[in-house]
Amino acid sequence: MKIVVIQGPNLNMLGHREQNIYGPMKLEDIHTQMKNFAEQNGMEIEFFQSNLEGEIVDKIQECLGDADGIIINPAAYTHTSIAIRDAISAVQIPTVEVHLSNIYAREDFRHKSLTAPVCAGQVSGFGPFGYHMAMVAIVQIMNEIKAMREAQQAQK
Ligand code: DQA
């Protein structure tokens, strides 16, 4: 099982950027924790960060036939990008959206996520721990898909 983690604009600035909102942890430290969890659970994991919308769309498309699950923090594109939403919708890979901050407790323009409706679910407001929650959610979704396929197979 392979998970691809996609990080949007300015998340490469974590640790430096608005620490009162996003905390002191650097993106690479968050990824190290995720890698450890993946290894402990026999999962493959790949990390990708970009500040460019088109590159994020390309990466989502590349997941087709390569990834079993996607964890994405589209960052500011959450609130603006129909292209990223359409890409998530197109690949039909179980996707969990993560936000470090609670976007519903912030400015009005952050309250709307264009991407969440095409994701399996969203985790918002738990800081770096949200990425761990997203990984647990992906494992659960994978197990449910597997059980469903096995049940369908048994009916044949
Ligand atoms: C964010 C929330 C977004 O509104 C913001 O633009 C970000 C980070 C978060 O993780 O809390 O860049 O996605």
Side-chain angles (χ1 to χ4, degrees):
M1 172 173 154
K2 178 172 174 183
I3 295 180
V4 174
V5 182
I6 301 175
Q7 306 280 14
N10 299 306
L11 292 171
N12 55 319
M13 298 284 287
L14 288 179
H16 172 78
R17 169 188 191 204
E18 297 170 288
Q19 282 203 28
N20 55 323
I21 297 172
Y22 300 113
M25 218 165 160
K26 290 196 167 100
L27 192 61
E28 64 195 56
D29 298 328
I30 294 175
H31 288 174
T32 301
Q33 285 189 347
M34 295 177 86
K35 199 163 171 271
N36 290 342
F37 179 86
E39 275 169 13
Q40 282 158 16
N41 289 277
M43 288 153 33
E44 202 184 321
I45 194 158
E46 183 190 327
F47 302 100
F48 176 82
Q49 189 278 329
S50 176
N51 296 323
L52 304 178
E53 185 177 22
E55 285 187 1
I56 294 170
V57 169
D58 283 345
K59 189 65 200 176
I60 294 167
Q61 290 183 8
E62 280 168 23
C63 288
L64 202 56
D66 182 48
D68 302 293
I70 297 172
I71 293 172
I72 187 164
N73 183 345
Y77 287 138
T78 306
H79 319 295
T80 62
S81 180
I82 298 170
I84 291 175
R85 175 195 170 114
D86 285 351
I88 296 168
S89 189
V91 293
Q92 292 282 297
I93 297 168
T95 298
V96 177
E97 177 171 313
V98 176
H99 299 286
L100 293 150
S101 63
N102 179 356
I103 57 172
Y104 304 99
R106 299 182 62 194
E107 302 96 323
D108 285 353
F109 64 85
R110 294 186 205 273
H111 293 183
K112 177 129 184 98
S113 169
L114 295 186
T115 42
V118 294
C119 292
Q122 183 198 61
V123 181
S124 177
F126 296 97
F129 186 64
Y131 288 98
H132 179 81
M133 293 165 90
M135 290 185 85
V136 174
I138 293 268
V139 171
Q140 174 66 19
I141 293 166
M142 290 297 108
N143 287 340
E144 282 168 13
I145 291 172
K146 194 164 163 257
M148 209 173 67
R149 286 199 184 129
E150 281 167 4
Q152 281 167 353
Q153 207 57 34
Q155 275 175 358
K156 281 185 187 163

